[in-house]
Amino acid sequence: MLNNNMEAKREAAVRKIVSEVPDASTYAPVNAAMTRATTLGEGEVAAALKSFSSMPQSTNVFANPVLHQADVECGDTQITLNVRSFGIRGIVSESEIIAKQLSPAHVIFVGLFGRKPQTNEDDIDEEILFSEIIDKKFYEFIEIRRDGLTGNQRLINQVADFVKAFPEAGPEAVIQHFSTLRKLSIPDQKGINTTRESGGLLLELIETHMENVALGTISVFMRHQLRESNALHPQVLAMRANDLIVEHQKNEKTAFQTCYSLLLGREATAVEFFILERMGIIQTHHGSAGSNVVARYLATLHAGAVSDFFVAAQMALDGDRHFGAIHDMTDFINQIEPLASDERETAIRERMLTALPTFGHPEIAAAGRTDEIQQDPRPAIYFNPFLEAVNKGEIKLNDRQKKRLSIMQRIYQIAFIEGIVRPGRENEPPLRLTPNTDFGGWSVQEGLDIYENDRTFLTYIFRGFGWMMDAREQLQLKIIRPVIPPDPEIIPKPTDDMTIANEVVALHNRMAGDEIFDQ
């Protein structure tokens, strides 16, 4: 009876939590400017602003202003890095995530519900409870049966058949295929719209996303198995994936931890869990990124199926001008790896004259000739724990990984520390580019031997929850536009906290020094 009573309290707590929707932002800069222009008699200004009045308001979810400064040495030149850093809902900051090692459930909870998780009056820890919701939706995958091309069978077996038939298909193709089948087998989907009860919609969003995450990571694991032996039968692929998942669940691993093992094709070590989780959690939400814009747009259009919402956002995520930069860097490294050292350096400098993958940024001043440049802190946040693990011998690199990561270190030195001088501008300071998030993402996953085509999927796992935050806000306010101004209330305030700045400086000093990776 006691257990039944506690279970009832837990179910009530779940219903209460998921029904919470944070208040919409009341900050409307366009409307305020229109009113001001009208008051001042500036009719033309007011008319011009009216063109933007259908896209009012701001976001209460995310802001990433410049919060820190850090001075670094680039040869004989001192460069001041203006470091951007984010906060979610003005409640949890990037530095707090790093310093306190906050869990994914904690950060996602804040983004979805606009407050930190607590222990409620029934002594139920909301962070643990929410983590269990996510885990449950993921682990249910191995029991799901659904109609497919070969009849009604477990989804994990259908994934094995698909991977066997298309062994080079990436996780995004698997998700898109099974999302179509999901729509066909569940014809009465309610989709995303303002008439739905918020709690039921959120649970469906989580359920659909975690099923997609399972589809993607399991397919990656199966392709690892096929690369070791391409003669494996689909039933064997399904059995091996099932065994790994069941073992992780029995050992009380979270859904995210199980995903890390599936991405690696084997059980991840404790340090690999830490590196991948830190890298993933920082990507949970990233403001105006293209995939987030698509998520908002699909929510506004009232997508007929939740599946479509995630597929569309994922397609934007993998676009060549978005996280496709990771794939671009892979292609570039593969191109210059066989070259002699001097030829390689020439190729790097020539590529800087067009577009060097994983460096620079289209929306921030991450390139320049002055002594101040903006810096995305994420490459340092991702890469530092990996480098520390390599130094401690906790991660072993093979000769090819060492060579390729050494090339990446040299690219950093040329692009940022040395810079390039364009023809005709020899009397000007060199142009320097700072690394962006993809630099860290590529380097860490190269060092962990994640297969080249799968290096955007960790982002998908976590970014999906950012899309949910956007969708819930979008259903309250129609705020589609590439860059949404944050409500001033959620903009993080500069502090004396040097956590993020120290991460950036530490990585720079490593990359500027002698060869990190012994050849």
Side-chain angles (χ1 to χ4, degrees):
M1 180 63 72
L2 183 62
N3 288 340
N4 289 341
N5 187 44
M6 179 52 69
E7 189 58 34
K9 289 181 178 179
R10 290 171 64 82
E11 290 180 4
V14 170
R15 289 195 297 272
K16 180 178 182 297
I17 290 169
V18 298
S19 66
E20 293 183 33
V21 179
D23 292 336
S25 172
T26 58
Y27 177 62
V30 174
N31 289 341
M34 285 173 56
T35 301
R36 179 64 172 164
T38 301
T39 301
L40 295 174
E42 296 286 352
E44 290 185 5
V45 174
L49 288 169
K50 191 173 182 179
S51 301
F52 299 93
S53 62
S54 63
M55 302 184 296
Q57 300 302 93
S58 58
T59 181
N60 245 356
V61 177
F62 177 89
N64 66 329
V66 171
L67 285 186
H68 319 284
Q69 284 193 329
D71 293 328
V72 295
E73 300 297 328
C74 291
D76 296 329
T77 305
Q78 179 174 287
I79 300 294
T80 297
L81 293 174
N82 294 316
V83 183
R84 302 175 75 94
S85 189
F86 76 74
I88 294 181
R89 294 196 178 276
I91 296 172
V92 62
S93 67
E94 201 167 43
S95 59
E96 185 180 6
I97 294 171
I98 300 305
K100 295 184 179 180
Q101 295 184 25
L102 298 182
S103 74
H106 186 109
V107 175
I108 294 166
F109 189 103
V110 170
L112 289 173
F113 305 115
R115 64 177 178 84
K116 291 187 176 183
Q118 305 166 349
T119 299
N120 72 9
E121 62 275 8
D122 293 317
D123 203 32
I124 295 173
D125 187 315
E126 292 179 331
E127 180 178 340
I128 294 175
L129 183 65
F130 188 63
S131 180
E132 289 173 351
I133 294 171
I134 295 171
D135 292 346
K136 181 174 183 289
K137 297 303 183 183
F138 176 83
Y139 284 120
E140 283 177 348
F141 181 86
I142 59 176
E143 301 299 331
I144 294 175
R145 300 183 67 89
R146 196 172 289 155
D147 290 335
L149 300 179
T150 56
N152 186 282
Q153 60 175 327
R154 288 201 310 162
L155 272 180
I156 196 168
N157 291 94
Q158 294 185 48
V159 174
D161 289 336
F162 185 92
V163 172
K164 184 68 175 180
F166 302 99
E168 296 305 316
E172 73 288 344
V174 178
I175 289 173
Q176 291 166 24
H177 172 77
F178 283 95
S179 290
T180 300
L181 294 180
R182 183 191 296 127
K183 289 170 62 178
L184 294 173
S185 62
I186 311 175
D188 299 325
Q189 293 193 52
K190 299 176 182 178
I192 300 176
N193 59 67
T194 53
T195 66
R196 293 198 61 179
E197 187 272 321
S198 60
L201 174 58
L202 178 57
L203 287 174
E204 185 179 349
L205 286 166
I206 295 173
E207 179 178 13
T208 303
H209 180 58
M210 293 314 294
E211 182 176 303
N212 286 345
V213 167
L215 286 164
T217 51
I218 288 170
S219 72
V220 171
F221 175 83
M222 290 177 176
R223 285 190 287 116
H224 274 286
Q225 302 298 305
L226 284 178
R227 280 192 288 275
E228 294 179 2
S229 175
N230 61 14
L232 290 177
H233 191 277
Q235 289 185 354
V236 176
L237 294 175
M239 178 190 68
R240 290 185 179 182
N242 187 88
D243 288 349
L244 184 145
I245 294 169
V246 168
E247 184 68 17
H248 276 56
Q249 185 178 23
K250 184 177 73 174
N251 292 333
E252 299 184 340
K253 302 294 185 185
T254 68
F256 298 115
Q257 290 173 327
T258 302
C259 287
Y260 309 147
S261 292
L262 291 167
L263 287 173
L264 293 171
R266 55 170 173 76
E267 182 170 358
T269 65
V271 71
E272 289 168 336
F273 280 144
F274 174 76
I275 291 168
L276 290 170
E277 187 141 289
R278 176 155 146 170
M279 180 174 157
I281 197 172
I282 293 297
Q283 299 183 70
T284 300
H285 196 288
H286 195 251
S288 61
S291 63
N292 297 70
V293 174
V294 170
R296 289 183 177 275
Y297 191 52
L298 266 287
T300 297
L301 287 179
H302 290 183
V306 169
S307 292
D308 293 340
F309 171 82
F310 289 108
V311 168
Q314 182 194 32
M315 290 173 72
L317 180 71
D318 277 336
D320 287 344
R321 295 296 300 274
H322 198 358
F323 278 79
I326 288 180
H327 300 313
D328 288 343
M329 180 54 81
T330 297
D331 292 340
F332 185 53
I333 293 290
N334 290 342
Q335 172 192 333
I336 66 176
E337 182 182 359
L339 301 178
S341 178
D342 57 340
E343 295 176 320
R344 188 183 301 139
E345 299 214 354
T346 298
I348 294 168
R349 295 179 191 280
E350 289 177 350
R351 188 61 187 265
M352 279 188 68
L353 295 173
T354 53
L356 181 64
T358 76
F359 282 80
H361 195 284
E363 294 174 8
I364 68 173
R369 301 175 186 278
T370 66
D371 57 2
E372 286 195 24
I373 303 178
Q374 288 196 14
Q375 174 65 67
D376 182 338
R378 289 174 293 172
I381 293 171
Y382 307 160
F383 209 6
N384 282 332
F386 170 81
L387 294 174
E388 290 165 9
V390 171
N391 290 340
K392 293 176 182 177
E394 295 171 326
I395 290 177
K396 304 292 185 183
L397 302 175
N398 61 38
D399 289 342
R400 185 162 188 246
Q401 287 171 313
K402 292 176 182 177
K403 179 180 180 180
R404 288 161 69 84
L405 288 170
S406 293
I407 293 173
M408 202 59 156
Q409 181 183 3
R410 185 61 188 137
I411 292 175
Y412 180 99
Q413 292 172 349
I414 292 172
F416 178 53
I417 298 173
E418 299 173 15
I420 64 163
V421 176
R422 293 179 182 272
R425 306 186 71 169
E426 289 82 3
N427 295 326
E428 299 180 21
L431 175 69
R432 305 179 196 273
L433 304 177
T434 55
N436 60 43
T437 180
D438 302 319
F439 174 89
W442 187 93
S443 300
V444 169
Q445 293 182 93
E446 173 70 25
L448 294 181
D449 203 25
I450 291 178
Y451 194 57
E452 291 179 352
N453 291 341
D454 301 331
R455 291 180 184 175
T456 61
F457 200 71
L458 182 71
T459 302
Y460 172 79
I461 293 171
F462 285 89
R463 187 63 61 86
F465 291 97
W467 299 335
M468 293 180 212
M469 299 171 203
D470 285 338
R472 301 181 92 211
E473 185 175 55
Q474 191 67 34
L475 292 173
Q476 294 176 290
L477 297 168
K478 302 300 180 283
I479 50 181
I480 302 168
R481 57 177 129 181
V483 178
I484 304 164
D487 188 321
E489 292 296 318
I490 73 164
I491 296 177
K493 304 298 187 291
T495 70
D496 294 332
D497 185 348
M498 295 296 291
T499 300
I500 299 301
N502 289 342
E503 290 280 351
V504 171
V505 172
L507 179 63
H508 174 80
N509 290 340
R510 286 182 167 119
M511 301 301 284
D514 295 332
E515 173 62 57
I516 299 175
F517 309 99
D518 295 331
Q519 292 291 302

